Amino acid sequence: MQLWKTTYRAAGTESINGLTLRDTLWYLMLAETIMLSKPRVSRTIAESVRDGSIAYLLNKPYNYLLYQVSIGLGDSLTHLIFNIAFGGIVVWLLVGPPPDPHGWPMVLLTMVIAWLLDFCVNALIGLAAFVTEEVSAFEWIYSKFLLLLGGILIPLDFFPTWLRSIAQALPFAYTIYGPARLFVDPEIPRFLSLLFGQISWLCIMGLVVIYMYRRGVTRLSINGG
Amino acid sequence: MRRELTFLTALWKANLLAAMEYRVSFISQVVGMILNDGVYFLFWVIFFDRFQKVRGWGLTDMFVLFGVVATGFGLGVFLFGNVLSLSEIISGGRLDYFLSMPRSVLVHVLASKCVISGLGDATYGVISFLFARQYRVDAILRFLVGSLLSMIIFLSFLVLVQSLSFWMGNSTLLSDQASNAIVTFSLYPITLFDGTAKLLLFTLIPAAFIGAIPAEFIRASDWKQLLWLLLATLIFLTLSIFAFHRGLRRYESGSAIQTQV
């Protein structure tokens, strides 16, 4: 916050690339909230693969991935409420009230899809443990891609044009930037375009996760008992 | 002193060999961390491409800042890896093994583990410094001194915070927050902060001594900054050793069976 307040003051302008200081701070609040409310699904899956406990879950009469979705959703919901309340109060005190509440239902829907998209990528990282055992490096790189190309550290609007167009097409932007930008600029065309992009990426990533999961389970080997 | 150094060297060697036992995991963690830091730094590349300078800080300054912080932090957690989990060890009553050995408990417990990814951080720190294009011998020496002092202050601060576990019980959450806060704040230009925030960064969360002050010493060859840095190192090191040993008197064993590998 300090960085952006200083930057706007140094730039000596009300708005930078269409975002005022108020927009930027509310954008960052929602972006951080989404990031901080994510469950650590990749770690849970990787650990259960490594220690073999996945074997006890696979023979239960439910789908292992959907089981992880339900645990993660519950976990995220509690984090989300706390983060949004705390972040909201701080930003409200700093720059005034949040953007138009009429857009909030649209934002909520895109946040749910963003969560599912993130779950798919996290599940893929966790399932990589079937092959590599250690997945920390993938987790770090994914989280940094989210920070940068997802627009948590800096809104994509401030990127050079060529990098912005690449970043906006990637799933990281649909996970963080899209919902956060819609929050400060709740227009129907923006919502529809975001929804289309999110659903497309979700279908692709969902199919890859199912494929990788089936392959991973066939090569699972449990040592000892 | 010499015996302690021989002991430390033997511990580090054993840790490194144990880490390299799993070659793929070792390489993936080191390379992964270099990439991780590099991607994070891209934020500043994009930021300064758009805004050029913020209160006198530009991209070259950030290269030096990231260089010194990453090298100090990386070496710290690689050589003294238990500094991140000291709180858990204390509250779990797992100091018994170290207490039974004829060596300094604090040094022994800290150096008994290495965080492999720290090697990636340290490597990235050196790469970042190279990008700052300060190739003169005196600048390189300043970088080495600055990184070493940064590492000592970082370690001392964490030992100080984690030693609270002797009084508070499990303070893992507090330790995690302190560790995150000091690293996060040390990676921002100090000129962004004014008044109370700046005071906090020099005292309660001494992030300025991990990043901005050593960076200023390296960049501008400002010997006054070195004096501040040495003074801060002395204060935090003394405080951490005092707090740990004072707390050790209150230590209660967990009476658990432990194996040290």
Side-chain angles (χ1 to χ4, degrees):
Chain A
M1 285 182 183
Q2 197 75 28
L3 173 69
W4 293 109
K5 278 169 78 177
T6 310
T7 305
Y8 270 85
R9 213 177 299 150
T13 168
E14 275 280 298
S15 159
I16 301 174
N17 292 37
L19 288 171
T20 62
L21 177 62
R22 178 172 161 268
D23 293 338
T24 305
L25 291 192
W26 276 110
Y27 164 91
L28 291 171
M29 189 283 291
L30 198 74
E32 287 281 357
T33 298
I34 297 171
M35 182 71 179
L36 294 174
S37 309
K38 281 168 4 80
R40 310 198 73 175
V41 179
S42 55
R43 184 153 299 181
T44 314
I45 296 178
E47 269 169 20
S48 63
V49 170
R50 267 205 308 270
D51 64 20
S53 60
I54 193 170
Y56 296 101
L57 297 168
L58 287 176
N59 60 12
K60 296 278 187 293
Y62 51 65
N63 182 295
Y64 176 72
L65 289 174
L66 291 178
Y67 166 75
Q68 292 296 345
V69 169
S70 58
I71 290 181
L73 264 177
D75 205 23
S76 286
L77 204 62
T78 46
H79 281 102
L80 184 80
I81 293 166
F82 174 78
N83 290 329
I84 217 157
F86 182 74
I89 291 168
V90 171
V91 177
W92 195 323
L93 289 173
L94 276 171
V95 290
D100 188 5
H102 288 105
W104 293 3
M106 294 192 290
V107 177
L108 203 63
L109 178 64
T110 58
M111 277 172 75
V112 173
I113 304 173
W115 188 93
L116 289 170
L117 189 53
D118 173 74
F119 175 86
C120 289
V121 181
N122 261 300
L124 264 183
I125 293 172
L127 292 173
F130 280 118
V131 185
T132 61
E133 301 248 337
E134 180 58 55
V135 295
S136 317
F138 302 125
E139 282 176 359
W140 301 328
I141 294 169
Y142 173 57
S143 76
K144 287 301 176 294
F145 272 127
L146 276 183
L147 284 179
L148 191 74
L149 298 174
I152 296 171
L153 291 172
I154 182 167
L156 301 192
D157 307 76
F158 299 161
F159 277 29
T161 319
W162 65 271
L163 185 57
R164 183 181 166 181
S165 43
I166 295 172
Q168 277 184 326
L170 298 172
F172 316 110
Y174 287 106
T175 307
I176 308 280
Y177 171 78
R181 190 69 175 85
L182 183 69
F183 181 58
V184 293
D185 204 357
E187 293 168 346
I188 299 290
R190 184 185 289 279
F191 167 67
L192 292 176
S193 137
L194 173 61
L195 205 60
F196 176 74
Q198 282 186 321
I199 291 172
S200 308
W201 270 113
L202 188 62
C203 291
I204 295 168
M205 298 308 287
L207 288 173
V208 176
V209 170
I210 292 168
Y211 174 73
M212 293 302 286
Y213 172 69
R214 286 185 180 159
R215 269 197 67 165
V217 169
T218 54
R219 60 180 290 168
L220 175 68
S221 63
I222 306 293
N223 303 316
Chain B
M1 187 70 182
R2 195 172 163 181
R3 283 178 67 197
E4 289 295 333
L5 271 178
T6 315
F7 171 63
L8 268 180
T9 315
L11 263 182
W12 290 334
K13 195 176 163 191
N15 283 341
L16 186 65
L17 288 173
M20 289 181 74
E21 180 76 23
Y22 301 97
R23 202 62 59 93
V24 177
S25 169
F26 178 82
I27 294 169
S28 76
Q29 288 192 64
V30 174
V31 176
M33 189 48 85
I34 296 172
L35 288 174
N36 170 69
D37 292 350
V39 173
Y40 182 71
F41 191 80
L42 280 178
F43 158 64
W44 289 107
V45 176
I46 294 166
F47 182 87
F48 284 111
D49 177 64
R50 177 69 184 77
F51 300 108
Q52 276 77 49
K53 271 193 183 284
V54 171
R55 289 198 179 169
W57 279 65
L59 191 60
T60 311
D61 308 310
M62 293 308 294
F63 274 125
V64 177
L65 182 69
F66 266 67
V68 76
V69 175
T71 309
F73 170 84
L75 283 180
V77 298
F78 181 69
L79 299 176
F80 300 97
N82 265 339
V83 76
L84 298 175
S85 40
L86 187 60
S87 172
E88 274 176 80
I89 294 172
I90 295 168
S91 58
R94 290 192 281 125
L95 280 179
D96 298 16
Y97 170 81
F98 304 99
L99 284 165
S100 64
M101 293 289 164
R103 295 287 173 198
S104 158
V105 179
L106 182 58
V107 173
H108 191 176
V109 68
L110 291 183
S112 286
K113 180 182 164 187
C114 78
V115 175
I116 304 166
S117 59
L119 201 58
D121 280 312
T123 311
Y124 177 80
V126 174
I127 296 170
S128 183
F129 179 68
L130 291 176
F131 271 98
R133 298 179 181 205
Q134 306 235 359
Y135 302 136
R136 292 188 319 278
V137 179
D138 62 318
I140 294 169
L141 283 175
R142 285 199 303 276
F143 173 70
L144 293 176
V145 172
S147 302
L148 184 70
L149 294 178
S150 170
M151 178 188 88
I152 296 171
I153 297 174
F154 170 73
L155 292 173
S156 305
F157 172 72
L158 281 196
V159 168
L160 189 60
V161 173
Q162 306 223 38
S163 294
L164 291 175
S165 286
F166 285 118
W167 289 273
M168 292 168 55
N170 194 346
S171 61
T172 314
L173 194 64
L174 177 72
S175 308
D176 287 351
Q177 295 293 348
S179 163
N180 285 336
I182 197 162
V183 175
T184 306
F185 285 119
S186 65
L187 291 173
Y188 280 91
I190 192 73
T191 48
L192 286 179
F193 306 100
D194 303 306
T196 316
K198 201 166 189 171
L199 181 70
L200 285 177
L201 296 183
F202 277 90
T203 51
L204 202 61
I205 309 165
F209 293 112
I210 312 277
I213 302 292
E216 193 62 21
F217 164 61
I218 296 162
R219 199 174 59 111
S221 187
D222 187 346
W223 296 97
K224 203 170 75 186
Q225 306 292 353
L226 179 64
L227 281 178
W228 278 115
L229 206 51
L230 286 169
L231 187 67
T233 308
L234 190 68
I235 292 170
F236 280 102
L237 191 60
T238 312
L239 277 176
S240 64
I241 293 171
F242 176 76
F244 182 82
H245 286 99
R246 190 82 192 187
L248 209 50
R249 295 183 197 171
R250 298 175 54 92
Y251 172 71
E252 288 172 18
S253 165
S255 300
I257 297 168
Q258 298 165 42
T259 49
Q260 186 71 17
V261 280

